[in-house]
């Protein structure tokens, strides 16, 4: 899966909200020149308004008080193409509110994670227990870490703890990336492998493989 870096105030590079390419961003503060009798070349600087121009497509996003106000779209990555529909609706809702409420977005992503565990065969009642069961079934360590990161940060969004998500858009946006990584490893990759195996490996070879593995 291609890494995604959400648009973030003052970062030198991120995935452009216009062309979606990972590209260098050139930042400038909004200003202008105003003429007059007393000062014909008065330079005006607008506080807390910045422009970020994409080095790839040349289009410019507008940021006010460190938040992107144009284009009016979510800075979070799109959902994995194989994400189940019942997860996708909550994921899209989290995308829609990310800039307004990072805490709310993180809480919704915890719900997405809980539903994902059900999709992976767990009960969905206790997220910590579900992750424990997935680990016992051979869940890769890195995916366990991704799951627990979303779980812990999501818990803190609902029940205030060490992590304060009130204004932390950057942290909340990274949870979207983790959810997509989990979907890619646990859904997309197995699906691709199964499709190739089923269509390209002869049945005679499959029988031999099943006998070898005692299946």
């Amino acid at each position: 899966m291609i890494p995604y870096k959400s648009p973030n105030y003052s970062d030198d590079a991120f995935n452009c909200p216009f062309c979606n390419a990972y590209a260098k961003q050139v930042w400038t503060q909004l200003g202008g020149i105003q003429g007059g009798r007393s000062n014909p070349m008065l330079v005006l600087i607008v506080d807390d308004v910045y422009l970020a121009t994409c080095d790839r497509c040349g289009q410019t996003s507008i940021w006010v008080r460190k938040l992107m106000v144009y284009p009016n779209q979510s800075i979070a990555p799109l959902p994995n193409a194989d994400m189940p529909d019942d997860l996708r609706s909550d994921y899209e809702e989290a995308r829609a509110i990310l800039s307004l409420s990072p805490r709310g977005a993180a809480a919704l992503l915890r719900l997405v994670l809980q539903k994902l565990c059900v999709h992976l065969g767990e009960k969905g009642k206790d997220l910590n227990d579900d992750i424990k069961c997935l680990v016992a079934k051979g869940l890769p360590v890195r995916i366990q870490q991704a799951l627990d990161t979303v779980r812990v940060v999501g818990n803190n969004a609902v029940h205030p703890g060490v992590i304060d998500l009130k204004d932390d858009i950057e942290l909340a946006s990274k949870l979207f990336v983790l959810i997509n990584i989990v979907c890619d490893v646990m859904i997309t990759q197995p699906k691709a492998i199964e499709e190739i195996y089923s269509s390209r490996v002869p049945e005679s070879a499959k029988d031999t493989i099943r006998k070898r593995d005692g299946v």
Side-chain angles (χ1 to χ4, degrees), residues 10 21 56 61 67 82 89 189 195 215:
S10 80
R56 177 74 174 270
S61 56
L67 294 177
D82 294 310
S89 60
Q189 291 182 23
E195 287 177 352
V215 178

Side-chain angles (χ1 to χ4, degrees), residues 90-91 93-95 97 103-113:
D90 293 324
Y91 183 98
E93 184 178 348
R95 287 186 75 240
I97 68 170
R103 184 166 52 187
L108 277 169
L109 289 180
R110 187 193 180 284
L111 175 61
V112 170
L113 179 59

Side-chain angles (χ1 to χ4, degrees), residues 1 4-8 11 75-77 91 98 102 105-106 109 145-147 149-150 153 165 168-182:
M1 187 175 77
Y4 177 91
K5 181 172 177 55
S6 299
N8 188 54
D11 281 359
I75 62 174
Y91 183 98
L98 173 59
L109 289 180
Q145 292 175 343
L147 294 175
T149 299
V150 177
V153 176
L165 269 171
D168 200 337
I169 294 178
E170 184 177 5
L171 173 56
S173 67
K174 289 178 180 178
L175 301 184
F176 291 87
V177 177
L178 293 180
I179 289 288
N180 275 335
I181 288 174
V182 174

Side-chain angles (χ1 to χ4, degrees), residues 2 6 8 73 86 92 98 138 148 157 163 165 182 203:
I2 299 174
S6 299
N8 188 54
Q73 64 183 55
D86 59 329
E92 290 287 11
L98 173 59
D148 277 319
I163 303 171
L165 269 171
V182 174
E203 284 300 322

Side-chain angles (χ1 to χ4, degrees), residues 1 82 181 183-194:
M1 187 175 77
D82 294 310
I181 288 174
C183 285
D184 182 66
V185 172
M186 303 302 291
I187 299 175
T188 301
Q189 291 182 23
K191 177 182 175 183
I193 293 170
E194 174 61 28

Side-chain angles (χ1 to χ4, degrees), residues 197 202-212:
Y197 182 81
E203 284 300 322
S204 58
K206 291 177 185 175
D207 288 338
T208 301
I209 292 170
R210 284 191 284 267
K211 291 177 181 177
R212 179 200 66 191

Side-chain angles (χ1 to χ4, degrees), residues 15 22 29 37 40 43 50 58 60 70-71 75 78 101 104 106 134 136-137 148 154 165 170 173 175 180 192 205:
N15 283 78
Y22 180 78
Q29 188 170 10
R37 289 184 178 181
V43 178
Y50 288 82
T60 300
Y70 176 81
I75 62 174
L78 292 169
S101 176
L134 289 171
K137 294 176 182 178
D148 277 319
L165 269 171
E170 184 177 5
S173 67
L175 301 184
N180 275 335

